[in-house]
mmCIF file of all heavy atoms in Angstrom:
data_model
loop_
_atom_site.group_PDB
_atom_site.id
_atom_site.type_symbol
_atom_site.label_atom_id
_atom_site.label_comp_id
_atom_site.label_asym_id
_atom_site.label_seq_id
_atom_site.Cartn_x
_atom_site.Cartn_y
_atom_site.Cartn_z
ATOM 1 N N MET U 22 -32.192 11.154 48.605
ATOM 2 C CA MET U 22 -30.783 10.853 48.328
ATOM 3 C C MET U 22 -30.627 9.945 47.118
ATOM 4 O O MET U 22 -29.702 10.091 46.340
ATOM 5 C CB MET U 22 -30.130 10.164 49.543
ATOM 6 C CG MET U 22 -30.101 11.005 50.797
ATOM 7 S SD MET U 22 -29.331 12.620 50.577
ATOM 8 C CE MET U 22 -27.666 12.139 50.222
ATOM 9 N N ASP U 40 -44.177 26.397 37.136
ATOM 10 C CA ASP U 40 -43.881 27.125 35.900
ATOM 11 C C ASP U 40 -42.391 27.008 35.599
ATOM 12 O O ASP U 40 -41.981 26.945 34.447
ATOM 13 C CB ASP U 40 -44.241 28.611 36.057
ATOM 14 C CG ASP U 40 -45.743 28.815 36.220
ATOM 15 O OD1 ASP U 40 -46.509 28.076 35.562
ATOM 16 O OD2 ASP U 40 -46.141 29.687 37.019
ATOM 17 N N SER U 64 -30.645 24.404 36.099
ATOM 18 C CA SER U 64 -29.683 23.933 37.100
ATOM 19 C C SER U 64 -29.066 25.112 37.864
ATOM 20 O O SER U 64 -28.710 26.134 37.276
ATOM 21 C CB SER U 64 -28.578 23.143 36.418
ATOM 22 O OG SER U 64 -27.606 22.776 37.383
ATOM 23 N N HIS U 112 -33.933 27.663 52.932
ATOM 24 C CA HIS U 112 -34.498 28.406 54.070
ATOM 25 C C HIS U 112 -34.539 29.903 53.760
ATOM 26 O O HIS U 112 -35.527 30.581 54.019
ATOM 27 C CB HIS U 112 -33.648 28.196 55.333
ATOM 28 C CG HIS U 112 -33.899 26.881 56.003
ATOM 29 N ND1 HIS U 112 -35.116 26.546 56.559
ATOM 30 C CD2 HIS U 112 -33.083 25.819 56.240
ATOM 31 C CE1 HIS U 112 -35.047 25.336 57.094
ATOM 32 N NE2 HIS U 112 -33.827 24.871 56.903
ATOM 33 N N LEU U 141 -26.970 2.285 58.898
ATOM 34 C CA LEU U 141 -26.079 1.956 60.015
ATOM 35 C C LEU U 141 -26.831 1.276 61.159
ATOM 36 O O LEU U 141 -26.212 0.825 62.131
ATOM 37 C CB LEU U 141 -25.380 3.220 60.551
ATOM 38 C CG LEU U 141 -24.063 3.610 59.880
ATOM 39 C CD1 LEU U 141 -24.269 3.901 58.407
ATOM 40 C CD2 LEU U 141 -23.456 4.824 60.552
ATOM 41 N N TYR U 148 -29.346 6.709 72.536
ATOM 42 C CA TYR U 148 -28.402 7.410 73.435
ATOM 43 C C TYR U 148 -28.448 8.924 73.235
ATOM 44 O O TYR U 148 -27.671 9.647 73.869
ATOM 45 C CB TYR U 148 -26.962 6.940 73.173
ATOM 46 C CG TYR U 148 -26.793 5.435 73.267
ATOM 47 C CD1 TYR U 148 -26.511 4.685 72.126
ATOM 48 C CD2 TYR U 148 -26.904 4.780 74.492
ATOM 49 C CE1 TYR U 148 -26.371 3.307 72.203
ATOM 50 C CE2 TYR U 148 -26.760 3.407 74.574
ATOM 51 C CZ TYR U 148 -26.493 2.684 73.421
ATOM 52 O OH TYR U 148 -26.354 1.315 73.499
ATOM 53 N N TYR U 161 -16.159 27.220 66.884
ATOM 54 C CA TYR U 161 -16.858 27.560 68.127
ATOM 55 C C TYR U 161 -16.577 26.534 69.223
ATOM 56 O O TYR U 161 -16.429 25.347 68.940
ATOM 57 C CB TYR U 161 -18.378 27.617 67.894
ATOM 58 C CG TYR U 161 -18.760 28.598 66.813
ATOM 59 C CD1 TYR U 161 -19.065 28.162 65.529
ATOM 60 C CD2 TYR U 161 -18.777 29.972 67.069
ATOM 61 C CE1 TYR U 161 -19.393 29.063 64.524
ATOM 62 C CE2 TYR U 161 -19.105 30.882 66.073
ATOM 63 C CZ TYR U 161 -19.415 30.426 64.798
ATOM 64 O OH TYR U 161 -19.721 31.308 63.808
ATOM 65 N N ALA U 179 -13.825 20.818 56.199
ATOM 66 C CA ALA U 179 -13.627 21.234 57.596
ATOM 67 C C ALA U 179 -12.665 22.413 57.671
ATOM 68 O O ALA U 179 -11.583 22.374 57.089
ATOM 69 C CB ALA U 179 -13.070 20.066 58.411
ATOM 70 N N LEU U 201 -11.776 16.887 68.502
ATOM 71 C CA LEU U 201 -12.445 15.640 68.886
ATOM 72 C C LEU U 201 -11.671 14.890 69.978
ATOM 73 O O LEU U 201 -12.269 14.220 70.825
ATOM 74 C CB LEU U 201 -12.655 14.757 67.650
ATOM 75 C CG LEU U 201 -13.636 15.339 66.619
ATOM 76 C CD1 LEU U 201 -13.661 14.511 65.345
ATOM 77 C CD2 LEU U 201 -15.037 15.443 67.220
ATOM 78 N N HIS U 209 -10.660 5.377 69.410
ATOM 79 C CA HIS U 209 -12.114 5.190 69.295
ATOM 80 C C HIS U 209 -12.504 4.940 67.836
ATOM 81 O O HIS U 209 -12.068 5.677 66.940
ATOM 82 C CB HIS U 209 -12.821 6.436 69.832
ATOM 83 C CG HIS U 209 -14.308 6.309 69.896
ATOM 84 N ND1 HIS U 209 -14.940 5.244 70.496
ATOM 85 C CD2 HIS U 209 -15.301 7.121 69.430
ATOM 86 C CE1 HIS U 209 -16.249 5.395 70.392
ATOM 87 N NE2 HIS U 209 -16.489 6.520 69.755
ATOM 88 N N LEU U 212 -16.863 6.174 61.942
ATOM 89 C CA LEU U 212 -17.315 5.676 60.640
ATOM 90 C C LEU U 212 -17.395 6.798 59.622
ATOM 91 O O LEU U 212 -17.862 7.901 59.947
ATOM 92 C CB LEU U 212 -18.700 5.054 60.757
ATOM 93 C CG LEU U 212 -18.853 3.871 61.692
ATOM 94 C CD1 LEU U 212 -19.572 4.290 62.964
ATOM 95 C CD2 LEU U 212 -19.619 2.786 61.011
ATOM 96 N N MET U 253 -24.248 6.260 79.332
ATOM 97 C CA MET U 253 -24.972 7.412 79.888
ATOM 98 C C MET U 253 -24.858 7.351 81.416
ATOM 99 O O MET U 253 -25.031 6.282 82.014
ATOM 100 C CB MET U 253 -26.446 7.356 79.470
ATOM 101 C CG MET U 253 -26.643 7.501 77.967
ATOM 102 S SD MET U 253 -28.344 7.175 77.458
ATOM 103 C CE MET U 253 -29.025 8.820 77.598
ATOM 104 N N LEU U 266 -41.465 11.271 94.455
ATOM 105 C CA LEU U 266 -42.751 11.501 93.768
ATOM 106 C C LEU U 266 -43.553 10.214 93.690
ATOM 107 O O LEU U 266 -44.759 10.195 93.929
ATOM 108 C CB LEU U 266 -42.490 11.988 92.339
ATOM 109 C CG LEU U 266 -42.261 13.479 92.096
ATOM 110 C CD1 LEU U 266 -42.107 13.728 90.606
ATOM 111 C CD2 LEU U 266 -43.424 14.296 92.635
#
Side-chain angles (χ1 to χ4, degrees):
M22 298 305 295
D40 294 323
S64 176
H112 282 296
L141 272 61
Y148 305 112
Y161 303 101
L201 294 173
H209 186 51
L212 300 106
M253 295 171 90
L266 275 183

